[in-house]
Amino acid sequence: MDARLNYYGNSVAAKFAKYINSAGKVVGDSTLPAATQELVKIRASQINGCGFCTDMHTKDATHAGETSVRLNLIAAWREAKVFTEAERAALELTEQGTRIADAACGVTDEAWANAAKHYDEDQLAALVSLIALINAYNRMNMIIQQPAGDYQPGQFG
């Protein structure tokens, strides 16, 4: 299977990717815990059915020392005992922010308040930005049908 578009081989797409990757660096350099960042990216990618991003972020998380137990339970985080309360709050915000069209109210005040109990304002800004960013990446990869499975940790720098 080949992607419909070589995203890095097209000048317009490559320029866009450069800027969106810069936005990702801002979030990556924030004080939002790296493990939480990977959990958010994986959960949004699972919901959106983005194989490329799910492959990338599970491999990156594994490479960074995340356990297979936690990775295997991300989709069932509500029933799993392996996530902290802060991670649960981030995962709930991720789900509601990703499924925003599925609920008439968007993200609930309860989900926001729960996240705000665990993260300071800069971390919340990073979390919201990350949710928006991974959803953008998911949509780009889904539209062009980017194949999954060949990603190697660190491949993009």
Side-chain angles (χ1 to χ4, degrees):
M1 177 176 159
D2 292 324
R4 293 173 170 161
L5 174 73
N6 178 349
Y7 214 80
Y8 295 96
N10 175 279
S11 63
V12 172
K15 285 179 192 174
F16 181 78
K18 176 183 174 185
Y19 288 109
I20 199 168
N21 288 340
S22 293
K25 182 166 176 24
V26 172
V27 173
D29 290 345
S30 76
T31 60
L32 184 66
T36 301
Q37 290 185 41
E38 289 302 329
L39 294 174
V40 165
K41 290 184 271 189
I42 293 165
R43 186 63 190 127
S45 299
Q46 290 172 335
I47 292 166
N48 289 324
C50 182
F52 184 81
C53 289
T54 301
D55 179 48
M56 173 191 287
H57 297 298
T58 54
K59 287 177 179 175
D60 283 348
T62 299
H63 186 72
E66 188 60 79
T67 68
S68 60
V69 171
R70 283 171 44 95
L71 291 174
N72 292 335
L73 289 171
I74 293 170
W77 65 268
R78 283 179 180 82
E79 295 82 25
K81 298 188 287 185
V82 297
F83 301 106
T84 67
E85 289 304 313
E87 290 168 338
R88 290 172 172 286
L91 288 165
E92 179 65 31
L93 196 66
T94 300
E95 287 192 3
Q96 289 189 23
T98 298
R99 293 183 165 137
I100 209 158
D102 297 342
C105 63
V107 174
T108 65
D109 290 339
E110 180 183 13
W112 180 261
N114 193 27
K117 286 191 310 191
H118 300 284
Y119 300 102
D120 65 29
E121 191 168 285
D122 284 348
Q123 291 171 322
L124 284 170
L127 183 56
V128 169
S129 299
L130 180 59
I131 293 165
L133 183 64
I134 191 59
N135 275 279
Y137 280 123
N138 291 165
R139 281 150 179 76
M140 290 174 357
N141 286 318
M142 295 295 293
I143 291 167
I144 66 170
Q145 294 183 346
Q146 186 67 40
D150 294 332
Y151 176 78
Q152 298 297 315
Q155 177 177 325
F156 295 121

